[in-house]
Amino acid sequence: MKITLLSEDRIRLDGRAGPLSVEADSAEMQYSPFHMLASGLATCTYSVLASWGTHAKLPVDDLSIEVGWTFAEEPHRVGELDVDVLWPSLPPERRAAATRAAGLCTVTRTFEMPPKIAVEVK
């Protein structure tokens, strides 16, 4: 699996076999907590779609996921995430089903109904 940092606010995940790698076009670009957040969402979405596609006997070799984000203020936070499923070999008539399957990602569901977070300094 390869995660590519496309910009300061966008990543792409390619699910090729092999160890996880994180790459960028520029040595100055660093893997930020926001890249990590997007990577979790991309990995979850990819996993659900790859499983669904394999079960449906669809090729998943060209499946990749891009996630971008924008910030909101008061308080400063990630305000919006957009997920693009790049799957050139997916037949057009299967896109609606793939969109429904992608929505089953547990990370997506967690963002839709955020957990309570408790921070304790010990």
Side-chain angles (χ1 to χ4, degrees):
M1 189 166 288
K2 178 172 96 171
I3 296 168
T4 304
L5 310 184
L6 299 175
S7 68
E8 294 298 322
D9 59 3
R10 191 163 194 82
I11 61 104
R12 182 179 52 245
L13 181 138
D14 296 303
R16 296 181 180 93
L20 172 66
S21 67
V22 178
E23 300 176 13
D25 289 334
S26 165
E28 289 78 38
M29 191 176 295
Q30 295 186 350
Y31 191 56
S32 74
F34 306 108
H35 289 109
M36 190 174 290
L37 182 75
S39 296
L41 177 57
T43 301
C44 182
T45 303
Y46 177 87
S47 297
V48 168
L49 286 174
S51 177
W52 173 80
T54 300
H55 182 72
K57 300 193 180 354
L58 296 168
V60 296
D61 306 9
D62 60 344
L63 171 61
S64 60
I65 309 293
E66 287 191 12
V67 178
W69 59 94
T70 56
F71 291 101
E73 299 302 327
E74 296 182 25
H76 182 69
R77 67 200 181 283
V78 173
E80 188 171 322
L81 292 154
D82 65 89
V83 178
D84 292 329
V85 175
L86 309 173
W87 198 349
S89 68
L90 182 68
E93 66 273 11
R94 301 304 299 264
R95 287 184 181 169
T99 300
R100 286 191 303 275
L104 298 174
C105 161
T106 304
V107 174
T108 298
R109 298 287 188 182
T110 300
F111 284 134
E112 292 171 345
M113 300 186 76
K116 185 176 173 183
I117 299 174
V119 177
E120 185 175 340
V121 178
K122 295 183 177 189

